[in-house]
Amino acid sequence: MTNDLSVTGPAGEERLPLQESPFLLRSGARETAFERHPIVLDRAKFPTLSIRNVYKIISQAVVHRESGVAFIADYRFGKTYAIDALIKQFHSNFKVAVCSVVAKHHDRSSEVSFYTDLLSDCGHTGATIGRTAVERRARLLRMWIADVQDTGSDCLLLFVDEAQSWHEEQWTFLRDLSNDLQRPPYEIRLITVSFAQPLFRAIRESLLGAERMDLVARFMLRVNQFKGIGSIEDATALFEMYDDPNVSEHPARSGISYSNFFRPKEYFEGWRLQNEAADCWSAFVAAAGKKGGQPEVGMLWMASAVRNYLYLHWNMEHGGKIPDQNIWTMAVAESDYISSIA
């Protein structure tokens, strides 16, 4: 492996060898880059194997103009994380309007609260203007129609997080919105992608019991399991993205991957985070074994463990003591993963 990596500037202008980048040497630039690092800000998003599988399912729904697909995962398995990563992928690969909302529970649910929530989550500055549900509903439709027309597409991809919070009434409101969008002259197809906790299955059964096949068939005919990281292979595939500046780069146009940033000397000597996958996975297996379980790790816990691991090395770079115990054991313990195991 060569140790004289370099990056080029605008129009192919040669830059310093990567090892000499101020972002990798002790400097004010490095400290500032650390403070703004996506890992520090908890904004690092990667298309894990599970997310890639979900992407394929949703892509087929978009291609075939299906009205809805649903995914179920346990708490902290990374549903919101997945939505963020998927939206980024769809913006890059599809000419389609995309919105994301969080289904909310209200003690006294109403049409007004429903449309207000959707307007607010979709970024409308006038979410609370107008007293009646009719006014806010019309405003929501106008916004969605404009979004679709701006893309030149004929469909709107709506991600719904925490979908178990909606019941028959809210799904009926959404059905009516979908019907209005589909009528001439707009003929817009609303494709709903729901992410929910396991309670969603009970909601679906309740709708079936109430003979609301109009809602089930439209929004939750297919319910898929959204899986966590379940093997060394899954962890390795994820960690490879931390190593790859084409996937994870900070600062922008620096050619520095996330793992390179936190362990620059070791990175240039050939170390890669992907080489840590087995030790990381063993730490999760050991943590799960304390409660007699086998691990399936949600992305939030895995991302937290990686962040803890990299922080420990950052602290050591700044004079911190070398931990007495295994670093991955510490990193997994500090992710609070074990408290999630029944």
Side-chain angles (χ1 to χ4, degrees):
M1 176 179 296
T2 181
N3 287 336
D4 61 351
L5 298 176
S6 62
V7 294
T8 57
E13 176 188 348
E14 190 71 20
R15 292 181 180 172
L16 291 170
L18 200 55
Q19 304 97 304
E20 298 178 26
S21 167
F23 301 120
L24 298 180
L25 302 174
R26 295 294 296 274
S27 67
R30 178 163 172 76
E31 297 297 323
T32 299
F34 172 81
E35 293 171 2
R36 298 173 180 174
H37 202 288
I39 287 179
V40 174
L41 300 177
D42 197 22
R43 294 176 182 170
K45 308 293 180 187
F46 297 109
T48 64
L49 291 177
S50 181
I51 291 173
R52 287 180 226 171
N53 290 334
V54 169
Y55 178 80
K56 291 177 184 177
I57 293 171
I58 302 173
S59 296
Q60 286 299 306
V62 172
V63 169
H64 296 292
R65 297 300 190 265
E66 297 177 23
S67 56
V69 291
F71 300 90
I72 290 178
D74 288 325
Y75 171 68
R76 292 203 75 181
F77 260 48
K79 297 183 289 295
T80 304
Y81 178 105
I83 290 172
D84 291 343
L86 288 163
I87 288 175
K88 183 178 179 180
Q89 289 294 107
F90 275 98
H91 277 313
S92 299
N93 301 332
F94 275 83
K95 193 175 182 180
V96 59
V98 182
C99 288
S100 175
V101 301
V102 179
K104 299 174 181 66
H105 170 77
H106 296 278
D107 290 337
R108 294 183 179 180
S109 182
S110 67
E111 280 192 90
V112 171
S113 63
F114 179 78
Y115 301 132
T116 302
D117 288 343
L118 266 59
L119 283 164
S120 179
D121 287 351
C122 292
H124 198 294
T125 56
T128 60
I129 297 175
R131 293 184 178 183
T132 70
V134 172
E135 291 173 293
R136 298 188 189 187
R137 184 178 187 278
R139 188 174 300 116
L140 178 64
L141 282 170
R142 287 196 300 269
M143 180 182 65
W144 280 354
I145 290 166
D147 288 346
V148 173
Q149 291 176 338
D150 285 346
T151 66
S153 178
D154 66 345
C155 68
L156 171 66
L157 189 59
L158 178 67
F159 286 88
V160 181
D161 197 4
E162 302 296 349
Q164 76 282 348
S165 297
W166 282 352
H167 296 272
E168 181 177 351
E169 185 178 37
Q170 289 78 28
W171 291 111
T172 301
F173 296 155
L174 190 61
R175 180 208 62 183
D176 293 344
L177 287 168
S178 177
N179 287 341
D180 284 349
L181 289 170
Q182 200 161 346
R183 292 190 182 100
Y186 305 112
E187 297 181 339
I188 294 170
R189 186 72 165 186
L190 179 66
I191 301 171
T192 304
V193 181
S194 302
F195 280 81
Q197 295 181 30
L199 177 61
F200 188 75
R201 293 191 185 278
I203 304 296
R204 186 178 185 275
E205 290 300 317
S206 175
L207 292 174
L208 285 171
E211 298 183 352
R212 293 304 306 269
M213 275 304 297
D214 59 322
L215 303 180
V216 173
R218 186 173 303 216
F219 300 116
M220 54 195 80
L221 185 62
R222 286 197 292 160
V223 179
N224 307 274
Q225 190 72 30
F226 177 62
K227 296 182 179 180
I229 295 166
S231 67
I232 292 176
E233 291 74 21
D234 288 349
T236 300
L238 171 63
F239 286 9
E240 285 174 354
M241 290 185 275
Y242 282 86
D243 293 326
D244 185 353
N246 294 312
V247 180
S248 64
E249 181 185 47
H250 180 79
R253 297 177 57 253
S254 67
I256 300 170
S257 71
Y258 290 176
S259 58
N260 185 1
F261 180 88
F262 279 90
R263 301 193 70 188
K265 179 177 181 293
E266 292 82 359
Y267 190 92
F268 289 115
E269 291 173 351
W271 170 87
R272 294 294 183 268
L273 186 65
Q274 63 185 279
N275 302 137
E276 303 287 337
D279 288 343
C280 173
W281 188 248
S282 293
F284 275 109
V285 170
K290 292 178 181 178
K291 293 193 175 182
Q294 289 294 321
E296 183 177 358
V297 183
M299 188 58 212
L300 294 183
W301 287 296
M302 181 62 76
S304 177
V306 171
R307 183 168 58 250
N308 296 337
Y309 172 85
L310 295 175
Y311 276 3
L312 285 167
H313 284 284
W314 177 266
N315 290 335
M316 284 187 279
E317 176 184 321
H318 289 72
K321 294 181 179 180
I322 298 175
D324 294 332
Q325 59 178 299
N326 179 277
I327 291 181
W328 278 112
T329 299
M330 290 179 60
V332 170
E334 291 175 6
S335 75
D336 206 28
Y337 166 72
I338 196 168
S339 69
S340 71
I341 306 172

